[in-house]
Amino acid sequence: EQAVVGNMAAMRLFLANLRNRGFKVALDDFGSGFNAFHYLRELRFDFIKIDGEFVRTIVQSQVDKVLVQNLATMCQQLGMPTIAEYVESEEIMAEITAMGIPYAQGFHLGAPASEANCRWEI
């Protein structure tokens, strides 16, 4: 990761080229390291995926609930929609919905599908 993003100007050009080809770009595992904030400041992403290690425990942990809420609010204020990872129950889904997180992924919504079951458009 460090080598790939070591040159922010080159990364901006790379992301712009992807977007020009119709791709959307997400920053994965947001919140799992300090560098994620640096990336938010330096690069533009279409989506921010909040690290599932925080999401999976928001029903039991007030600390994780506050962290996820604040990460989501910050991303919303920056105009970058969030995706909650590890949504594994109706309770977690209700919490992220109440937080205004518009997208989710996890076993509560369905098991991963094989490539044969997915439609890809380029």
Side-chain angles (χ1 to χ4, degrees):
E1 178 179 297
Q2 191 109 7
V4 172
V5 188
N7 182 339
M8 286 295 172
M11 181 54 70
R12 282 188 200 94
L13 181 60
F14 176 73
L15 294 175
N17 286 333
L18 285 176
R19 285 192 184 91
N20 288 338
R21 293 173 183 230
F23 290 93
K24 299 246 183 230
V25 182
L27 176 61
D28 197 19
D29 296 330
F30 182 71
S32 64
F34 175 77
N35 283 337
F37 290 99
H38 182 71
Y39 300 154
L40 276 186
R41 187 181 77 201
E42 298 295 329
L43 302 169
R44 177 79 184 140
F45 295 95
D46 300 300
F47 301 96
I48 304 296
K49 293 176 70 177
I50 298 176
D51 190 285
E53 291 301 316
F54 297 110
V55 175
R56 74 176 351 152
T57 56
I58 61 173
V59 174
Q60 300 86 11
S61 169
Q62 183 64 22
V63 171
D64 285 344
K65 183 176 179 177
V66 168
L67 287 172
V68 170
Q69 175 64 71
N70 283 292
L71 291 172
T73 298
M74 178 180 59
C75 292
Q76 289 164 1
Q77 290 174 345
L78 293 172
M80 294 182 229
T82 50
I83 303 167
E85 298 180 331
Y86 287 64
V87 177
E88 298 175 346
S89 70
E90 182 59 39
E91 294 82 13
I92 295 172
M93 188 70 194
E95 290 285 348
I96 67 160
T97 300
M99 292 177 185
I101 297 174
Y103 302 102
Q105 71 180 61
F107 284 108
H108 175 67
L109 302 169
S114 69
E115 188 174 325
N117 293 328
C118 296
R119 243 183 28 168
W120 301 93
E121 295 179 22
I122 298 178

